[in-house]
Amino acid sequence: MVDFKNLQEPYFIGEIGINHNGDLQLAKKLIDAVNACGWHCAKFQKRNPDVCVPEHQKMVMRQTPWGEMTYLDYKYRIEFGDAEYNKINQYCSDKPLDWTASVWDLDSLNFLLEYNVPFLKIPSALITNDELVIESAKSNKPMIISTGMSTLEEIDKAVENVIKHNDNLVIMHTNSSYP
């Protein structure tokens, strides 16, 4: 685990997110890039698409690198499960390099807690999901919360929810506007 309160030097995190496009070999290349930079951690995103994709978007057709498919099918296509994360876990351990993921729902939180990740990250889009924030804090894993899509009041509430259970917290100001 990362003790954010007592770090003596910067802890560098390489954001892989879903840029692997569901391809384990590409994920390994991205992990290699993070490692080659001498950074400390590769960070992914973990979602249960059934929970995270809004009902009105699930059947919307979308152009993807694999042809046209529903948005839900696309989200499943790029999502890693047990087999892939077991391989990522081993691949990073062999470097050695920390890895973790932003959690987008309770299923993903429980999934990630099966691994010895150094911290949990709450994406800015979910800082208002009190249950996810509180359950993450209760895990006693160090936490990072992003604030790019949040008001000051929402940030204050999320911080209050975390520090009731966990004081190893980093608050990141993030930009949620992408090209």
Side-chain angles (χ1 to χ4, degrees):
M1 289 198 296
V2 179
D3 184 357
F4 291 124
K5 297 178 296 185
N6 294 308
L7 282 177
Q8 299 299 309
E9 61 182 53
Y11 182 85
F12 291 100
I13 303 166
E15 173 64 32
I16 293 174
I18 56 172
N19 292 311
H20 51 72
N21 288 331
D23 179 337
L24 185 59
Q25 294 312 310
L26 180 53
K28 286 180 177 181
K29 288 179 183 178
L30 294 166
I31 291 166
D32 289 342
V34 171
N35 192 53
C37 289
W39 289 9
H40 302 95
C41 183
K43 194 190 74 59
F44 296 86
Q45 294 182 18
K46 181 64 180 145
R47 293 176 177 86
N48 175 342
D50 279 325
V51 173
C52 291
V53 175
E55 286 300 322
H56 69 279
Q57 290 183 350
K58 286 183 178 179
M59 300 314 291
V60 171
M61 297 306 289
R62 146 177 202 139
Q63 290 298 324
T64 75
W66 310 280
E68 190 175 45
M69 62 180 64
T70 67
Y71 189 59
L72 184 61
D73 288 341
Y74 164 72
K75 285 298 195 181
Y76 271 109
R77 176 79 187 241
I78 61 172
E79 190 63 44
F80 284 157
D82 290 331
E84 295 86 3
Y85 276 113
N86 287 340
K87 290 176 183 171
I88 287 168
N89 189 56
Q90 186 60 54
Y91 196 73
C92 288
S93 287
D94 291 344
K95 300 253 171 257
L97 177 70
D98 289 344
W99 74 272
T100 193
S102 295
V103 293
W104 287 74
D105 53 73
L106 291 173
D107 294 338
S108 298
L109 170 62
N110 291 327
F111 177 90
L112 203 60
L113 289 174
E114 295 296 318
Y115 295 93
N116 188 28
V117 296
F119 64 90
L120 299 171
K121 178 160 180 303
I122 304 294
S124 60
L126 293 168
I127 195 172
T128 59
N129 183 327
D130 294 341
E131 184 178 20
L132 181 62
V133 170
I134 291 167
E135 290 304 313
S136 296
K138 285 181 178 178
S139 75
N140 288 318
K141 290 277 186 185
M143 289 182 61
I144 294 175
I145 57 174
S146 292
T147 63
M149 301 177 81
S150 311
T151 67
L152 289 176
E153 293 79 20
E154 291 167 339
I155 296 166
D156 286 344
K157 184 175 182 187
V159 169
E160 288 174 18
N161 282 335
V162 171
I163 61 174
K164 289 177 188 173
H165 306 284
N166 185 342
D167 67 349
N168 198 348
L169 172 66
V170 170
I171 304 165
M172 291 193 336
H173 174 72
T174 53
N175 185 341
S176 293
S177 186
Y178 297 94

